[in-house]
Amino acid sequence: MAWIESYEKMHRIFGRFERTTLARFAAAQTPGAGGRVNAFVVDREEKTMRSSLARALVATSAIVGIAAGGLASASVAAAQPVTKPAVSSQRVAPLAVNNLGLNTARAKNWQSCLNAWGFNAGTEDGQLGTNSWKAAQRMLNAWGYNAGTEDGIVGTNTIRALQKFLNAVGENAGTADGIAGPQTKAAFWNYNATGC
């Protein structure tokens, strides 16, 4: 008999919700529009009542399902509110390592060249991180390719300077547009096939 009590409770909640909604609906009508509704107000109380109604319906369905034949027929679940991911307004950090299409062996060759040329790329570990790219920017700036600020970030200026360098040494990186596309990566890959 518990399901009868739940049904009655649900009916009371639904009746309260319906009366409240109709009262607000009538209050939100504005005259002069040919009897049409121009606005409808839904507030927090109604949302709470809707949530209560949903829970009561789920509970009633589950109880009726149990009474009618077991838990298998009572697999009704209430809809959960959708949560949105938090959005950060902070600046996105640059990649810690950007090998620009090189594998570890070829990245070591690039670091070896930078160190041999006196630009101190740090440990030759095959991971082109901030120190390696600062060294590359120093080299590109020193040799007149204008990589911009020596900050270790592989941005448009650094890519454009690298493209100019690769084109100058005969590797055909394509137009110096600052975009590390397939042609630029292929030229960088070919250049670092061996050490300098």
Side-chain angles (χ1 to χ4, degrees):
M1 293 304 151
W3 66 275
I4 294 173
E5 292 171 4
S6 293
Y7 177 78
E8 289 173 352
K9 180 179 179 184
M10 186 260 324
H11 191 268
R12 281 193 308 272
I13 291 171
F14 182 77
R16 182 174 148 216
F17 172 75
E18 187 176 25
R19 283 189 302 276
T20 305
T21 301
L22 289 174
R24 288 211 172 81
F25 182 80
Q29 287 186 337
T30 56
R36 294 186 182 156
V37 177
N38 289 337
F40 185 75
V41 178
V42 176
D43 65 0
R44 185 174 290 159
E45 181 181 336
E46 287 180 14
K47 290 178 185 176
T48 303
M49 284 188 273
R50 287 179 190 161
S51 175
S52 297
L53 175 62
R55 283 194 300 270
L57 287 172
V58 170
T60 303
S61 298
I63 291 169
V64 169
I66 292 169
L71 288 173
S73 62
S75 59
V76 180
Q80 296 296 319
V82 177
T83 57
K84 295 182 180 178
V87 178
S88 174
S89 62
Q90 295 177 354
R91 184 176 165 211
V92 177
L95 294 174
V97 173
N98 187 349
N99 279 9
L100 210 60
L102 300 181
N103 63 14
T104 304
R106 291 187 186 225
K108 282 182 182 179
N109 289 342
W110 179 243
Q111 289 170 324
S112 174
C113 289
L114 292 170
N115 285 335
W117 295 329
F119 294 103
N120 189 16
T123 306
E124 296 170 15
D125 59 1
Q127 301 298 311
L128 301 182
T130 305
N131 288 337
S132 296
W133 283 109
K134 281 183 180 179
Q137 289 166 333
R138 283 192 297 274
M139 179 274 291
L140 292 166
N141 284 337
W143 292 359
Y145 296 107
N146 191 20
T149 306
E150 296 167 9
D151 55 7
I153 298 172
V154 187
T156 306
N157 290 336
T158 302
I159 297 299
R160 186 177 296 118
L162 181 63
Q163 289 167 327
K164 289 177 185 176
F165 167 75
L166 291 169
N167 287 335
V169 296
E171 289 299 335
N172 190 15
T175 304
D177 57 4
I179 300 170
Q183 188 173 359
T184 300
K185 289 181 179 180
F188 195 45
W189 173 268
N190 291 336
Y191 181 78
N192 290 293
T194 60
C196 43

